[in-house]
mmCIF file with all atom_site columns, all heavy atoms in Angstrom:
data_model
loop_
_atom_site.group_PDB
_atom_site.id
_atom_site.type_symbol
_atom_site.label_atom_id
_atom_site.label_alt_id
_atom_site.label_comp_id
_atom_site.label_asym_id
_atom_site.label_entity_id
_atom_site.label_seq_id
_atom_site.pdbx_PDB_ins_code
_atom_site.Cartn_x
_atom_site.Cartn_y
_atom_site.Cartn_z
_atom_site.occupancy
_atom_site.B_iso_or_equiv
_atom_site.pdbx_formal_charge
_atom_site.auth_seq_id
_atom_site.auth_comp_id
_atom_site.auth_asym_id
_atom_site.auth_atom_id
_atom_site.pdbx_PDB_model_num
ATOM 1   N N   . ALA T 1 56 ? 20.460 10.971 -16.650 1.00 85.00 ? 56 ALA T N   1
ATOM 2   C CA  . ALA T 1 56 ? 21.574 11.433 -17.486 1.00 85.00 ? 56 ALA T CA  1
ATOM 3   C C   . ALA T 1 56 ? 22.123 12.751 -16.965 1.00 85.00 ? 56 ALA T C   1
ATOM 4   O O   . ALA T 1 56 ? 22.553 13.589 -17.736 1.00 85.00 ? 56 ALA T O   1
ATOM 5   C CB  . ALA T 1 56 ? 21.094 11.573 -18.928 1.00 85.00 ? 56 ALA T CB  1
ATOM 6   N N   . TRP T 1 57 ? 22.145 12.923 -15.677 1.00 72.00 ? 57 TRP T N   1
ATOM 7   C CA  . TRP T 1 57 ? 22.549 14.183 -15.067 1.00 72.00 ? 57 TRP T CA  1
ATOM 8   C C   . TRP T 1 57 ? 24.032 14.495 -15.259 1.00 72.00 ? 57 TRP T C   1
ATOM 9   O O   . TRP T 1 57 ? 24.435 15.648 -15.166 1.00 72.00 ? 57 TRP T O   1
ATOM 10  C CB  . TRP T 1 57 ? 22.210 14.175 -13.574 1.00 72.00 ? 57 TRP T CB  1
ATOM 11  C CG  . TRP T 1 57 ? 22.805 13.008 -12.833 1.00 72.00 ? 57 TRP T CG  1
ATOM 12  C CD1 . TRP T 1 57 ? 22.225 11.800 -12.611 1.00 72.00 ? 57 TRP T CD1 1
ATOM 13  C CD2 . TRP T 1 57 ? 24.093 12.942 -12.235 1.00 72.00 ? 57 TRP T CD2 1
ATOM 14  N NE1 . TRP T 1 57 ? 23.069 10.979 -11.920 1.00 72.00 ? 57 TRP T NE1 1
ATOM 15  C CE2 . TRP T 1 57 ? 24.225 11.654 -11.665 1.00 72.00 ? 57 TRP T CE2 1
ATOM 16  C CE3 . TRP T 1 57 ? 25.150 13.834 -12.118 1.00 72.00 ? 57 TRP T CE3 1
ATOM 17  C CZ2 . TRP T 1 57 ? 25.374 11.256 -10.998 1.00 72.00 ? 57 TRP T CZ2 1
ATOM 18  C CZ3 . TRP T 1 57 ? 26.292 13.427 -11.450 1.00 72.00 ? 57 TRP T CZ3 1
ATOM 19  C CH2 . TRP T 1 57 ? 26.394 12.148 -10.902 1.00 72.00 ? 57 TRP T CH2 1
ATOM 20  N N   . SER T 1 58 ? 24.839 13.506 -15.557 1.00 73.00 ? 58 SER T N   1
ATOM 21  C CA  . SER T 1 58 ? 26.279 13.759 -15.619 1.00 73.00 ? 58 SER T CA  1
ATOM 22  C C   . SER T 1 58 ? 26.878 13.640 -17.012 1.00 73.00 ? 58 SER T C   1
ATOM 23  O O   . SER T 1 58 ? 28.090 13.620 -17.148 1.00 73.00 ? 58 SER T O   1
ATOM 24  C CB  . SER T 1 58 ? 27.008 12.790 -14.682 1.00 73.00 ? 58 SER T CB  1
ATOM 25  O OG  . SER T 1 58 ? 26.901 11.472 -15.177 1.00 73.00 ? 58 SER T OG  1
ATOM 26  N N   . GLY T 1 59 ? 26.047 13.558 -18.038 1.00 77.00 ? 59 GLY T N   1
ATOM 27  C CA  . GLY T 1 59 ? 26.645 13.394 -19.361 1.00 77.00 ? 59 GLY T CA  1
ATOM 28  C C   . GLY T 1 59 ? 25.617 13.347 -20.461 1.00 77.00 ? 59 GLY T C   1
ATOM 29  O O   . GLY T 1 59 ? 24.673 14.127 -20.487 1.00 77.00 ? 59 GLY T O   1
ATOM 30  N N   . MET T 1 60 ? 25.789 12.382 -21.343 1.00 85.00 ? 60 MET T N   1
ATOM 31  C CA  . MET T 1 60 ? 24.926 12.243 -22.516 1.00 85.00 ? 60 MET T CA  1
ATOM 32  C C   . MET T 1 60 ? 23.473 12.032 -22.108 1.00 85.00 ? 60 MET T C   1
ATOM 33  O O   . MET T 1 60 ? 23.188 11.382 -21.109 1.00 85.00 ? 60 MET T O   1
ATOM 34  C CB  . MET T 1 60 ? 25.367 11.037 -23.351 1.00 85.00 ? 60 MET T CB  1
ATOM 35  C CG  . MET T 1 60 ? 26.690 11.215 -24.048 1.00 85.00 ? 60 MET T CG  1
ATOM 36  S SD  . MET T 1 60 ? 27.208 9.721  -24.951 1.00 85.00 ? 60 MET T SD  1
ATOM 37  C CE  . MET T 1 60 ? 25.845 9.424  -26.030 1.00 85.00 ? 60 MET T CE  1
ATOM 38  N N   . THR T 1 61 ? 22.575 12.567 -22.927 1.00 92.00 ? 61 THR T N   1
ATOM 39  C CA  . THR T 1 61 ? 21.146 12.323 -22.717 1.00 92.00 ? 61 THR T CA  1
ATOM 40  C C   . THR T 1 61 ? 20.543 11.537 -23.874 1.00 92.00 ? 61 THR T C   1
ATOM 41  O O   . THR T 1 61 ? 19.465 10.991 -23.746 1.00 92.00 ? 61 THR T O   1
ATOM 42  C CB  . THR T 1 61 ? 20.369 13.640 -22.551 1.00 92.00 ? 61 THR T CB  1
ATOM 43  O OG1 . THR T 1 61 ? 20.562 14.445 -23.713 1.00 92.00 ? 61 THR T OG1 1
ATOM 44  C CG2 . THR T 1 61 ? 20.832 14.397 -21.313 1.00 92.00 ? 61 THR T CG2 1
ATOM 45  N N   . SER T 1 62 ? 21.254 11.472 -24.994 1.00 95.00 ? 62 SER T N   1
ATOM 46  C CA  . SER T 1 62 ? 20.753 10.810 -26.190 1.00 95.00 ? 62 SER T CA  1
ATOM 47  C C   . SER T 1 62 ? 21.695 9.671  -26.578 1.00 95.00 ? 62 SER T C   1
ATOM 48  O O   . SER T 1 62 ? 22.913 9.869  -26.672 1.00 95.00 ? 62 SER T O   1
ATOM 49  C CB  . SER T 1 62 ? 20.668 11.835 -27.324 1.00 95.00 ? 62 SER T CB  1
ATOM 50  O OG  . SER T 1 62 ? 20.181 11.242 -28.493 1.00 95.00 ? 62 SER T OG  1
ATOM 51  N N   . TYR T 1 63 ? 21.119 8.486  -26.801 1.00 96.00 ? 63 TYR T N   1
ATOM 52  C CA  . TYR T 1 63 ? 21.905 7.294  -27.108 1.00 96.00 ? 63 TYR T CA  1
ATOM 53  C C   . TYR T 1 63 ? 21.357 6.622  -28.352 1.00 96.00 ? 63 TYR T C   1
ATOM 54  O O   . TYR T 1 63 ? 20.153 6.403  -28.464 1.00 96.00 ? 63 TYR T O   1
ATOM 55  C CB  . TYR T 1 63 ? 21.845 6.302  -25.942 1.00 96.00 ? 63 TYR T CB  1
ATOM 56  C CG  . TYR T 1 63 ? 22.508 6.803  -24.681 1.00 96.00 ? 63 TYR T CG  1
ATOM 57  C CD1 . TYR T 1 63 ? 21.816 7.627  -23.804 1.00 96.00 ? 63 TYR T CD1 1
ATOM 58  C CD2 . TYR T 1 63 ? 23.804 6.460  -24.382 1.00 96.00 ? 63 TYR T CD2 1
ATOM 59  C CE1 . TYR T 1 63 ? 22.412 8.088  -22.642 1.00 96.00 ? 63 TYR T CE1 1
ATOM 60  C CE2 . TYR T 1 63 ? 24.418 6.916  -23.220 1.00 96.00 ? 63 TYR T CE2 1
ATOM 61  C CZ  . TYR T 1 63 ? 23.716 7.731  -22.360 1.00 96.00 ? 63 TYR T CZ  1
ATOM 62  O OH  . TYR T 1 63 ? 24.316 8.186  -21.213 1.00 96.00 ? 63 TYR T OH  1
ATOM 63  N N   . ASP T 1 64 ? 22.248 6.262  -29.271 1.00 98.00 ? 64 ASP T N   1
ATOM 64  C CA  . ASP T 1 64 ? 21.884 5.542  -30.485 1.00 98.00 ? 64 ASP T CA  1
ATOM 65  C C   . ASP T 1 64 ? 22.111 4.052  -30.238 1.00 98.00 ? 64 ASP T C   1
ATOM 66  O O   . ASP T 1 64 ? 23.253 3.601  -30.086 1.00 98.00 ? 64 ASP T O   1
ATOM 67  C CB  . ASP T 1 64 ? 22.753 6.036  -31.653 1.00 98.00 ? 64 ASP T CB  1
ATOM 68  C CG  . ASP T 1 64 ? 22.402 5.392  -32.980 1.00 98.00 ? 64 ASP T CG  1
ATOM 69  O OD1 . ASP T 1 64 ? 21.670 4.369  -32.991 1.00 98.00 ? 64 ASP T OD1 1
ATOM 70  O OD2 . ASP T 1 64 ? 22.873 5.901  -34.008 1.00 98.00 ? 64 ASP T OD2 1
ATOM 71  N N   . LEU T 1 65 ? 21.028 3.283  -30.170 1.00 98.00 ? 65 LEU T N   1
ATOM 72  C CA  . LEU T 1 65 ? 21.143 1.854  -29.894 1.00 98.00 ? 65 LEU T CA  1
ATOM 73  C C   . LEU T 1 65 ? 21.830 1.085  -31.015 1.00 98.00 ? 65 LEU T C   1
ATOM 74  O O   . LEU T 1 65 ? 22.231 -0.064 -30.827 1.00 98.00 ? 65 LEU T O   1
ATOM 75  C CB  . LEU T 1 65 ? 19.770 1.252  -29.606 1.00 98.00 ? 65 LEU T CB  1
ATOM 76  C CG  . LEU T 1 65 ? 19.131 1.704  -28.291 1.00 98.00 ? 65 LEU T CG  1
ATOM 77  C CD1 . LEU T 1 65 ? 17.728 1.128  -28.152 1.00 98.00 ? 65 LEU T CD1 1
ATOM 78  C CD2 . LEU T 1 65 ? 19.989 1.313  -27.110 1.00 98.00 ? 65 LEU T CD2 1
ATOM 79  N N   . GLY T 1 66 ? 22.002 1.699  -32.169 1.00 97.00 ? 66 GLY T N   1
ATOM 80  C CA  . GLY T 1 66 ? 22.731 1.071  -33.262 1.00 97.00 ? 66 GLY T CA  1
ATOM 81  C C   . GLY T 1 66 ? 24.235 1.134  -33.083 1.00 97.00 ? 66 GLY T C   1
ATOM 82  O O   . GLY T 1 66 ? 24.980 0.475  -33.814 1.00 97.00 ? 66 GLY T O   1
ATOM 83  N N   . LYS T 1 67 ? 24.691 1.899  -32.110 1.00 97.00 ? 67 LYS T N   1
ATOM 84  C CA  . LYS T 1 67 ? 26.131 2.031  -31.840 1.00 97.00 ? 67 LYS T CA  1
ATOM 85  C C   . LYS T 1 67 ? 26.463 1.283  -30.550 1.00 97.00 ? 67 LYS T C   1
ATOM 86  O O   . LYS T 1 67 ? 25.973 1.648  -29.473 1.00 97.00 ? 67 LYS T O   1
ATOM 87  C CB  . LYS T 1 67 ? 26.511 3.503  -31.720 1.00 97.00 ? 67 LYS T CB  1
ATOM 88  C CG  . LYS T 1 67 ? 26.297 4.261  -33.012 1.00 97.00 ? 67 LYS T CG  1
ATOM 89  C CD  . LYS T 1 67 ? 26.708 5.711  -32.892 1.00 97.00 ? 67 LYS T CD  1
ATOM 90  C CE  . LYS T 1 67 ? 26.519 6.400  -34.243 1.00 97.00 ? 67 LYS T CE  1
ATOM 91  N NZ  . LYS T 1 67 ? 26.888 7.819  -34.163 1.00 97.00 ? 67 LYS T NZ  1
ATOM 92  N N   . PRO T 1 68 ? 27.280 0.230  -30.641 1.00 96.00 ? 68 PRO T N   1
ATOM 93  C CA  . PRO T 1 68 ? 27.538 -0.628 -29.475 1.00 96.00 ? 68 PRO T CA  1
ATOM 94  C C   . PRO T 1 68 ? 27.995 0.121  -28.222 1.00 96.00 ? 68 PRO T C   1
ATOM 95  O O   . PRO T 1 68 ? 27.515 -0.168 -27.124 1.00 96.00 ? 68 PRO T O   1
ATOM 96  C CB  . PRO T 1 68 ? 28.615 -1.600 -29.968 1.00 96.00 ? 68 PRO T CB  1
ATOM 97  C CG  . PRO T 1 68 ? 28.386 -1.677 -31.445 1.00 96.00 ? 68 PRO T CG  1
ATOM 98  C CD  . PRO T 1 68 ? 27.933 -0.296 -31.851 1.00 96.00 ? 68 PRO T CD  1
ATOM 99  N N   . ARG T 1 69 ? 28.885 1.075  -28.348 1.00 96.00 ? 69 ARG T N   1
ATOM 100 C CA  . ARG T 1 69 ? 29.380 1.790  -27.159 1.00 96.00 ? 69 ARG T CA  1
ATOM 101 C C   . ARG T 1 69 ? 28.274 2.630  -26.521 1.00 96.00 ? 69 ARG T C   1
ATOM 102 O O   . ARG T 1 69 ? 28.180 2.725  -25.302 1.00 96.00 ? 69 ARG T O   1
ATOM 103 C CB  . ARG T 1 69 ? 30.564 2.665  -27.508 1.00 96.00 ? 69 ARG T CB  1
ATOM 104 C CG  . ARG T 1 69 ? 31.784 1.844  -27.893 1.00 96.00 ? 69 ARG T CG  1
ATOM 105 C CD  . ARG T 1 69 ? 32.943 2.717  -28.160 1.00 96.00 ? 69 ARG T CD  1
ATOM 106 N NE  . ARG T 1 69 ? 33.797 2.613  -26.990 1.00 96.00 ? 69 ARG T NE  1
ATOM 107 C CZ  . ARG T 1 69 ? 34.885 3.308  -26.808 1.00 96.00 ? 69 ARG T CZ  1
ATOM 108 N NH1 . ARG T 1 69 ? 35.261 4.197  -27.693 1.00 96.00 ? 69 ARG T NH1 1
ATOM 109 N NH2 . ARG T 1 69 ? 35.602 3.147  -25.729 1.00 96.00 ? 69 ARG T NH2 1
#
Side-chain angles (χ1 to χ4, degrees):
W57 55 269
S58 68
M60 290 177 56
T61 58
S62 180
Y63 294 84
D64 183 346
L65 291 176
K67 296 181 178 179
R69 292 183 103 185

